[in-house]
Amino acid sequence: MNDKLNRDAAQGAGQPQGASRARGASNGLVAIMAKEFRRFFTDRRMVITTLLLPGLMIYATYSVMGSAMQTMFSVSEDYEYQVAAVNLPASIKPLTEQAGLDFVEIDPASTEQIAQIKQRLSEKDYDLLAVFPADFDARLQSTLGGDAPPSTTPDIELYYNSTHTQSATAHSLALGLLDSYKNALLPLFSVNANSDVAYDLVTKEDEAGFMLSMLLPMFMMIVLFSGAIGVAPESIAGEKERGTIATILVTPLKRWQLALGKVVSLSCIALLGGASSFIGLMASLPRMLGASGAPAGDGPGVLLYSTTDYLMLLLVIISTLLLFIGLISLLSAFARSVKEAGTLVSPLMILVMVIGALGIFSQSAQENLLFYMIPIYNSVQCMVGIFSFTYDTAAIALTLLTNLVLSGVCVVVLTKMFNSERIVFSR
Amino acid sequence: MGGTDTILQVTDLSKTFKLSAKQQRLENTSEKLRRAVDRLSFTVRKSEIYGLLGPNGAGKTTTLRMLATLIRPDSGDALVDGYSVVHEPQQVRSRIGFLTSELKLEEFFTPSYLFDFFARLHNVDPALAAAHKQRLFERFGIGEFSEVKVASLSTGMKQKASLAISIVHDPAIIIFDEPTNGLDVLTARVVTDYLAELRDAGKTIVLSTHIFSLAERLCDSVGIIVGGQMSVSGTLDEVRAGKDLEDRFFDLYQQQAGEAA
């Protein structure tokens, strides 16, 4: 016993043990975090694949998707519709130009030509064929006079192809044209007649918010999870596989410092990856929203939300990432190799995607606070709430608390795993 | 037991591993458990090189891992510089340097960075660590490779860097599993010379090897392990008992095998 004391005293002379021990508690943690950051930021490949590529790829993909959707679901303004009419009545003819439909008149006798047009319609090579009764105007007058039986009411046939965007648009233009002509003849009442008034009182905020709250939560969850997958298995299963973690475990570093240091630093790195994806998404948003009919060209949806909204979002994202990194770290510590870690993590990835997809069907955020104690689901619902301007601060607080507590549990379990020889030396 | 100059006291150390079904089939045995180390006891005196000798699978590596606190013994204990590997692993870790070919350096980093990193984990004063680094790197000729990533170093250079880094905290005891495994003659010589140098500087070294000539040349005391049990332990001369060490080992081995049969 005396021996021990003497030795301690001797060592104390060599280096200031008391001071270094106090410093040591945080020193080890900082050293582990610094190493993780250095590992990441001095590796050009990792920086490119984790930080730059996700943002760029999302920007490129979504911009292309947006543009493609735009050309798919809308018709350019200078498009000339290919439309034909049989027996085009003199009363309607003057109105067609205003509607932007320049009908080619077809002789009712040439059944072959009519059949040909129908064939082209089914092949999406033609936009519209309107077939009027030969005596349309005369029958219309007698119907208006009230002296004809209902069976003689003239019927107009509009042939079109609903899967062909131009054809569908021509069809609705023709319907509108005929409808307004009908209303002009028989003004029983009118609906939204004043074209100068905006009757849809949706705010631009709501419209974009609705779109975003549908699209973003699932997207964010997948992006965050992929970011976590990009760093955690490599750092934990990888170090185990390469035998470098045991080298650290023979030092006096506390196991909890190793676990916490890894989880925190990996979360920071994954957060940067997530930020890259988020910026990419926001930059491509105008095109995406333009394509889906929401306000286009008004700049990114970024400006819709207040600083508080963004702060809430950031807090939710950070807590979610901590949890993701915690869970993936546990699976990675359990795995014997990076490859095996990937296999173990994939069911969790599917779970995250499914829960994220549920967000698409939520009109607004979940109101029952108890649901915010369910991890992953709570993050999705918070994001739905934030993007649709319907969030409840208590719900977000509960989500943060739940995620932080669970991340803490992950760190504790990870510490236990680092202490277990069966985990560290499993082959 | 253990005078004042005893620095390592191992008492009845035991470790049992579970055998997987596959291992059972491979080794054609119905045993579910394998006693890797069986009530092992030995003492190591301060400032000597102690060699654990034995064939592959005798339990040398398991014993050293228990001394390094990487795995916990099922029963028994070892006091390293007075601290129990079972009850005070943290204290033990700051007093030992442990080196084996299984513990690797992260290939992405340079020896210089890793030295600093491990110095921080060991709580070594930065100024002290810097001086130590310069001395050790110079001693091993790592200097010009100190900023080269470990991945690009030769096997010998990696081993020398590992050795330097494992003693970053100037430990009183150095535990070395198979110090010359996989090394060329030149590097092996550098390593063994350095171990002798450390001993002369007052450090204690516990190593394992299956190379008897190495033990005869380097060790002051040896222990021969067969089947997880200590057959004999003592100074080199005591153990040799006038014979060649290898012959002595075969005598003991046959004796033990005979007893087992």
Side-chain angles (χ1 to χ4, degrees):
Chain A
M1 221 34 221
N2 250 345
D3 240 21
K4 204 192 258 185
L5 288 175
N6 287 340
R7 259 194 315 277
D8 279 354
Q11 265 192 340
Q15 48 174 297
Q17 278 277 329
S20 75
R21 234 174 247 161
R23 199 187 53 211
S26 61
N27 208 7
L29 186 64
V30 173
I32 290 292
M33 289 176 59
K35 190 203 74 170
E36 292 295 331
F37 285 133
R38 191 186 175 94
R39 172 73 187 87
F40 181 80
F41 286 107
T42 55
D43 190 340
R44 204 179 302 149
R45 285 177 128 182
M46 277 189 111
V47 170
I48 290 174
T49 53
T50 319
L51 289 193
L52 295 178
L53 274 186
L56 283 176
M57 274 175 59
I58 283 161
Y59 176 73
T61 321
Y62 278 52
S63 296
V64 169
M65 258 172 68
S67 311
M69 275 162 71
Q70 216 148 3
T71 42
M72 210 166 151
F73 298 118
S74 63
V75 181
S76 75
E77 280 179 22
D78 49 3
Y79 179 77
E80 283 184 24
Y81 293 99
Q82 289 189 283
V83 288
V86 178
N87 295 327
L88 188 64
S91 58
I92 290 179
K93 209 169 181 176
L95 304 171
T96 56
E97 201 173 325
Q98 200 189 332
L101 298 172
D102 186 11
F103 285 102
V104 176
E105 291 193 45
I106 308 280
D107 180 3
S110 64
T111 49
E112 199 178 307
Q113 200 181 354
I114 292 171
Q116 200 187 356
I117 289 176
K118 285 184 181 170
Q119 177 65 27
R120 284 177 70 186
L121 275 169
S122 69
E123 287 166 1
K124 303 184 185 178
D125 188 32
Y126 211 79
D127 300 332
L128 185 75
L129 172 67
V131 180
F132 293 87
D135 49 353
F136 179 82
D137 279 337
R139 281 165 70 179
L140 189 63
Q141 288 311 319
S142 62
T143 308
L144 280 173
D147 45 47
S151 63
T152 59
T153 308
D155 180 52
I156 306 162
E157 295 169 330
L158 294 178
Y159 295 94
Y160 70 111
N161 185 335
S162 60
T163 58
H164 184 38
T165 306
Q166 281 79 355
S167 178
T169 316
H171 175 241
S172 55
L173 284 173
L175 272 184
L177 161 82
L178 296 170
D179 229 30
S180 58
Y181 180 56
K182 193 167 73 182
N183 284 335
L185 291 174
L186 198 64
L188 290 178
F189 60 84
S190 66
V191 177
N192 284 354
N194 190 343
S195 60
D196 296 335
V197 176
Y199 293 101
D200 184 358
L201 295 181
V202 65
T203 58
K204 285 210 152 153
E205 235 185 22
D206 273 350
E207 209 169 342
F210 177 68
M211 288 302 303
L212 290 178
S213 67
M214 260 175 60
L215 293 174
L216 278 186
M218 175 168 167
F219 171 83
M220 289 300 296
M221 293 302 274
I222 292 173
V223 160
L224 294 180
F225 199 81
S226 329
I229 286 184
V231 291
E234 168 58 30
S235 170
I236 293 180
E239 280 219 41
K240 199 175 137 183
E241 188 179 1
R242 293 189 294 268
T244 54
I245 211 156
T247 319
I248 292 174
L249 291 176
V250 286
T251 72
L253 177 77
K254 306 243 180 7
R255 272 55 175 156
W256 69 261
Q257 292 178 328
L258 181 61
L260 185 66
K262 288 237 175 214
V263 168
V264 171
S265 51
L266 293 176
S267 298
C268 290
I269 294 169
L271 182 66
L272 290 175
S276 151
S277 307
F278 189 72
I279 292 168
L281 177 80
M282 282 306 177
S284 63
L285 217 50
R287 283 192 199 178
M288 277 296 278
L289 291 180
S292 12
D298 288 15
V302 190
L303 306 169
L304 290 170
Y305 301 96
S306 71
T307 320
T308 321
D309 295 338
Y310 275 106
L311 186 69
M312 290 293 169
L313 182 63
L314 184 68
L315 290 176
V316 170
I317 285 176
I318 290 174
S319 75
T320 310
L321 258 180
L322 277 171
L323 180 64
F324 280 171
I325 290 282
L327 291 173
I328 297 174
S329 295
L330 289 188
L331 292 171
S332 302
F334 186 74
R336 278 167 292 198
S337 65
V338 178
K339 204 175 157 196
E340 197 183 313
T343 315
L344 290 176
V345 165
S346 51
L348 189 60
M349 174 86 178
I350 292 168
L351 185 72
V352 168
M353 283 170 76
V354 169
I355 296 177
L358 292 179
I360 295 182
F361 307 110
S362 333
Q363 285 284 323
S364 60
Q366 173 64 248
E367 278 169 19
N368 187 342
L369 279 181
L370 282 179
F371 281 93
Y372 289 90
M373 290 176 78
I374 305 171
I376 305 174
Y377 179 79
N378 59 7
S379 304
V380 176
Q381 287 305 316
C382 281
M383 288 186 204
V384 170
I386 292 169
F387 289 126
S388 62
F389 310 95
T390 56
Y391 71 84
D392 174 3
T393 317
I396 291 188
L398 196 56
T399 299
L400 297 182
L401 186 70
T402 307
N403 289 353
L404 286 181
V405 167
L406 288 176
S407 308
V409 171
C410 285
V411 171
V412 170
V413 176
L414 193 60
T415 305
K416 290 234 182 290
M417 289 175 93
F418 284 152
N419 255 324
S420 157
E421 58 195 61
R422 235 182 303 165
I423 293 291
V424 175
F425 292 107
S426 65
R427 281 284 145 89
Chain B
M1 283 247 303
T4 43
D5 64 344
T6 299
I7 194 163
L8 174 64
Q9 175 77 56
V10 179
T11 317
D12 288 334
L13 209 57
S14 297
K15 182 72 188 178
T16 307
F17 290 116
K18 280 199 189 94
L19 285 186
S20 67
K22 193 179 166 191
Q23 279 170 310
Q24 282 182 34
R25 217 173 328 115
L26 278 175
E27 298 182 23
N28 195 17
T29 170
S30 57
E31 292 176 286
K32 285 234 164 66
L33 297 171
R34 162 69 42 88
R35 270 211 152 196
V37 175
D38 192 1
R39 283 162 291 150
L40 204 70
S41 301
F42 63 97
T43 20
V44 177
R45 283 170 296 136
K46 205 173 270 185
S47 307
E48 71 168 354
I49 298 183
Y50 185 94
L52 277 177
L53 280 170
N56 290 334
K60 304 187 297 285
T61 300
T62 307
T63 305
L64 294 190
R65 278 184 179 175
M66 284 191 278
L67 297 183
T69 73
L70 277 176
I71 58 179
R72 283 172 73 91
D74 297 334
S75 61
D77 200 352
L79 296 182
V80 177
D81 204 7
Y83 294 99
S84 155
V85 295
V86 178
H87 305 293
E88 300 157 295
Q90 205 70 13
Q91 295 290 346
V92 173
R93 283 175 203 138
S94 59
R95 282 166 177 77
I96 59 160
F98 181 53
L99 201 53
T100 128
S101 53
E102 281 175 3
L103 301 193
K104 304 246 168 60
L105 295 178
E106 244 175 292
E107 303 240 305
F108 178 80
F109 295 114
T110 65
S112 176
Y113 176 76
L114 286 168
F115 193 95
D116 296 343
F117 172 66
F118 281 99
R120 284 179 84 179
L121 294 191
H122 277 287
N123 267 322
V124 182
D125 180 76
L128 220 68
H132 205 54
K133 176 161 87 174
Q134 202 186 349
R135 206 171 57 238
L136 282 172
F137 279 17
E138 204 169 305
R139 172 67 181 74
F140 291 119
I142 301 172
E144 54 182 311
F145 299 102
S146 66
E147 298 301 336
V148 177
K149 281 185 183 175
V150 171
S152 316
L153 298 179
S154 67
T155 312
M157 194 54 74
K158 272 182 201 165
Q159 182 76 326
K160 285 189 275 190
S162 292
L163 177 55
I165 287 166
S166 70
I167 53 175
V168 56
H169 51 309
D170 198 17
I173 303 179
I174 292 127
I175 300 172
F176 210 151
D177 193 12
E178 303 281 2
T180 57
N181 244 16
L183 298 183
D184 64 80
V185 185
L186 288 174
T187 320
R189 192 61 191 237
V190 172
V191 170
T192 52
D193 282 356
Y194 188 67
L195 292 180
E197 216 172 283
L198 283 172
R199 180 239 344 250
D200 296 342
K203 305 291 180 191
T204 309
I205 290 136
V206 181
L207 57 83
S208 75
T209 183
H210 57 269
I211 306 166
F212 292 90
S213 58
L214 177 75
E216 275 188 308
R217 188 163 58 77
L218 198 61
C219 297
D220 303 298
S221 296
V222 293
I224 292 179
I225 305 186
V226 179
Q229 291 178 324
M230 185 65 84
S231 289
V232 59
S233 173
T235 64
L236 193 58
D237 288 334
E238 283 168 12
V239 170
R240 272 198 293 213
K243 283 190 174 184
D244 176 74
L245 192 58
E246 197 169 326
D247 293 339
R248 181 78 174 113
F249 165 75
F250 278 107
D251 290 350
L252 288 165
Y253 185 75
Q254 270 159 355
Q255 197 180 322
Q256 191 137 344
E259 277 172 17

